[in-house]
Amino acid sequence: MTRESTGPGGRGRDRDADRGVSTVVGYVLALAVTVALISGLITATGAVIEDRQATTARTGLEAAGERLAAKLMAADRLATTGADTVVVAVPLPDRVAGGSYTVTVNDSADAELVLASATTGAEVTVEVANRTDLAGATVPGGDLAVVLSGGELEVRRA
Amino acid sequence: MADIGAGASDRGQLMLVAALTIAVGMVVLVALLNGAIYTQNLAMRSPDAGGHDALQFRDATVGAAGEIIDAENDAEYDSQDEVRANVTQGIERYDELVARANAGVATYAAIDESSLSVHDGTLLRQTDPARAYTSSGGATNWTLATSVPDIRAFSLVVEGGLQSTSDPAREAFNATLVGSGGAEWSVYVYDDGGLTVGVRNATGPVNTACPGAYSATPVSINLTAGTVNGASCPALSFAAGTTAPHAVNYTRGARALGTYNLTVNTTPPTATVTSTSFNGPGPANSPYELPAVYDATFTLVYETSQLRYTDTVRVAPGEPP
């Protein structure tokens, strides 16, 4: 027979169906599942953001590196005419994917530019074909200039 | 029992925190997207620094200055001061025009006039095509100039009167450069069963170097450019095997008829033209010598918002490569 109950179990509930059920445990279970789902969602979102940031940084560094290499080779062409002065401006973005980056000129036999992001650790190498010697240097990314100095092409902050 | 039936306004706090966190994540992703779009824009911009235009300006200016020098020399002035002043004014006028034209496209392209210097030379020429290659006094073996460090635009147009011979070294007309130490380089023009141009280094054999480039007079030989009737003749390598300064001689000048032009650098005091073998300026006075400009040196400047380029150039039109 069904009996009414005035307790917090609710009115008109079948007391037989509530056997082995604890309200506290119910709430704790609901909370735990919700927390687990939400933290999983947040973790996945964070991972996507990190992945996108790394890809964007790499693409940005490649674009900046190719641009600098093109301007460096244009300066090289001018320097080979025996010019007295060559200064080529290279406007580059100050930050890539929200982080700063550095540009390193390697003046080895196969000259190359290495651009490295300070925040994501992404690193891009761009080769340069040159006839004039390059001066090895590391400069922070941003507005740069290629200058002919002492018979060598130097990359400096503008 | 504990009252854990909370009111309607307290529900969903965890959901709110999670939604806010995801919203911040979305904002960060949008910022990254903005960075990626900017990178695409950067990648599609032209990387041209204007270097091509700078080199074009340089080449055009050198060419124009060369034409000014040749034009003023050909005007046949009576004094060195006159020709020097006219060449200087001509180059300055060119500078004014080109600077004004480039200013209209936000470019500074000009000659630094304070760096402009011109150097003296002498133009030696014969304009009478029916005259032999003899001096003004009729000498057939004679020296045009001695100890000249540079010679440019040396050309002969031989009209005829050639010696018929198969031993040019001993019988044909030739123009000879004698270098320091006595080494010689000669160009022979004669008739050996047909018009023949030969080149000889030192005491070697005469090399009939340019077959097929010509068949009859008049034949135009540009010694400094190494061409016969406009066609390149590699064997005609100006002053090969000799070192400057040079003396310029004509030998057996009576065995060819025609005209010639050459400009010698007479800036050093040791460089001398044999003035007794030439007449004064005037087309009717072949052969004659004229004051001329040998070369001009100046610095040119090309500057835009992206590029600064300067170069010091020397213009000597018709100098051997």
Side-chain angles (χ1 to χ4, degrees), chain A residues 2-97:
Chain A
T2 307
R3 285 184 293 173
E4 282 195 9
S5 166
T6 56
R11 292 167 294 279
R13 283 186 58 177
D14 188 353
R15 269 300 200 175
D16 291 338
D18 292 338
R19 279 199 301 253
V21 172
S22 161
T23 313
V24 172
V25 171
Y27 269 102
V28 167
L29 277 174
L31 274 172
V33 167
T34 309
V35 165
L37 283 173
I38 288 167
S39 63
L41 202 56
I42 290 169
T43 305
T45 306
V48 165
I49 289 172
E50 268 181 36
D51 180 62
R52 289 294 100 200
Q53 193 177 31
T55 306
T56 306
R58 172 165 290 277
T59 310
L61 289 177
E62 279 173 359
E66 295 290 345
R67 195 166 186 78
L68 177 58
K71 299 270 188 171
L72 198 55
M73 288 190 281
D76 178 49
R77 263 196 308 279
L78 292 170
T80 55
T81 64
D84 301 331
T85 310
V86 176
V87 178
V88 178
V90 190
L92 294 178
D94 289 328
R95 300 169 77 77
V96 158

Side-chain angles (χ1 to χ4, degrees), chain A residues 119-138:
Chain A
T119 46
T120 65
E123 197 173 281
V124 163
T125 303
V126 179
E127 287 185 6
V128 176
N130 61 305
R131 280 170 287 176
T132 311
D133 288 338
L134 302 182
T138 300

Side-chain angles (χ1 to χ4, degrees), chain A residues 8 23 27 31 35 38 41 49 52-53 56 59-60 63 67 70-71 78 81-89 91 93, chain B residues 1 4 14-15 18 21-22 25 28-29 32 36 38-39 42 45-49 51 55 58 306-312:
Chain A
T23 313
Y27 269 102
L31 274 172
V35 165
I38 288 167
L41 202 56
I49 289 172
R52 289 294 100 200
Q53 193 177 31
T56 306
T59 310
R67 195 166 186 78
K71 299 270 188 171
L78 292 170
T81 64
D84 301 331
T85 310
V86 176
V87 178
V88 178
Chain B
M1 290 185 104
I4 56 172
L14 272 176
M15 298 291 285
T21 307
I22 293 169
V28 169
L29 278 174
L32 284 176
Y38 176 73
T39 299
L42 188 69
R45 284 187 216 165
S46 166
D48 181 29
L55 293 176
R58 178 187 184 276
Q306 299 293 309
L307 168 70
R308 178 174 167 79
Y309 171 75
T310 70
D311 194 11
T312 301

Side-chain angles (χ1 to χ4, degrees), chain B residues 145-228:
Chain B
T146 54
S147 298
V148 290
D150 308 289
I151 302 168
R152 65 176 179 85
F154 189 173
S155 64
L156 307 170
V157 179
V158 178
E159 299 283 350
L162 297 176
Q163 176 73 15
S164 181
T165 177
S166 54
D167 186 7
R170 289 198 285 190
E171 296 185 7
F173 158 70
N174 64 86
T176 299
L177 299 182
V178 184
S180 64
E184 294 186 358
W185 180 83
S186 305
V187 174
Y188 294 81
V189 187
Y190 56 101
D191 184 337
D192 184 9
L195 175 66
T196 310
V197 173
V199 180
R200 186 181 188 213
N201 281 342
T203 53
V206 176
N207 175 8
T208 51
C210 309
Y214 47 88
S215 56
T217 55
V219 61
S220 171
I221 307 165
N222 191 323
L223 282 72
T224 43
T227 62
V228 177

Side-chain angles (χ1 to χ4, degrees), chain B residues 89-302:
Chain B
Q89 279 173 22
I91 293 175
E92 288 174 352
R93 176 68 181 144
Y94 174 83
D95 169 42
E96 193 184 319
L97 291 171
V98 80
R100 197 181 305 157
N102 279 281
V105 289
T107 299
Y108 178 74
I111 295 169
D112 178 1
E113 290 179 10
S114 65
S115 68
L116 174 60
S117 67
V118 297
H119 301 109
D120 295 341
T122 303
L123 175 55
L124 307 174
R125 62 179 14 168
Q126 174 159 293
T127 54
D128 180 356
R131 196 179 183 284
Y133 287 90
T134 55
S135 71
S136 59
T140 58
N141 299 336
W142 59 294
T143 298
L144 284 73
T146 54
S147 298
V148 290
D150 308 289
I151 302 168
R152 65 176 179 85
F154 189 173
S155 64
L156 307 170
V157 179
V158 178
E159 299 283 350
L162 297 176
Q163 176 73 15
S164 181
T165 177
S166 54
D167 186 7
R170 289 198 285 190
E171 296 185 7
F173 158 70
N174 64 86
T176 299
L177 299 182
V178 184
S180 64
E184 294 186 358
W185 180 83
S186 305
V187 174
Y188 294 81
V189 187
Y190 56 101
D191 184 337
D192 184 9
L195 175 66
T196 310
V197 173
V199 180
R200 186 181 188 213
N201 281 342
T203 53
V206 176
N207 175 8
T208 51
C210 309
Y214 47 88
S215 56
T217 55
V219 61
S220 171
I221 307 165
N222 191 323
L223 282 72
T224 43
T227 62
V228 177
N229 283 351
S232 173
C233 177
L236 201 57
S237 175
F238 189 74
T242 67
T243 50
H246 291 98
V248 184
N249 299 333
Y250 283 166
T251 306
R252 300 180 208 96
R255 297 185 183 182
L257 305 174
T259 62
Y260 62 86
N261 283 277
L262 66 152
T263 306
V264 294
N265 183 357
T266 49
T267 305
T270 50
T272 311
V273 168
T274 314
S275 295
T276 51
S277 298
F278 290 94
N279 297 316
N285 298 345
S286 286
Y288 59 98
E289 61 171 312
L290 292 167
V293 165
Y294 185 80
D295 66 24
T297 307
F298 52 84
T299 298
L300 42 83
V301 180
Y302 185 88

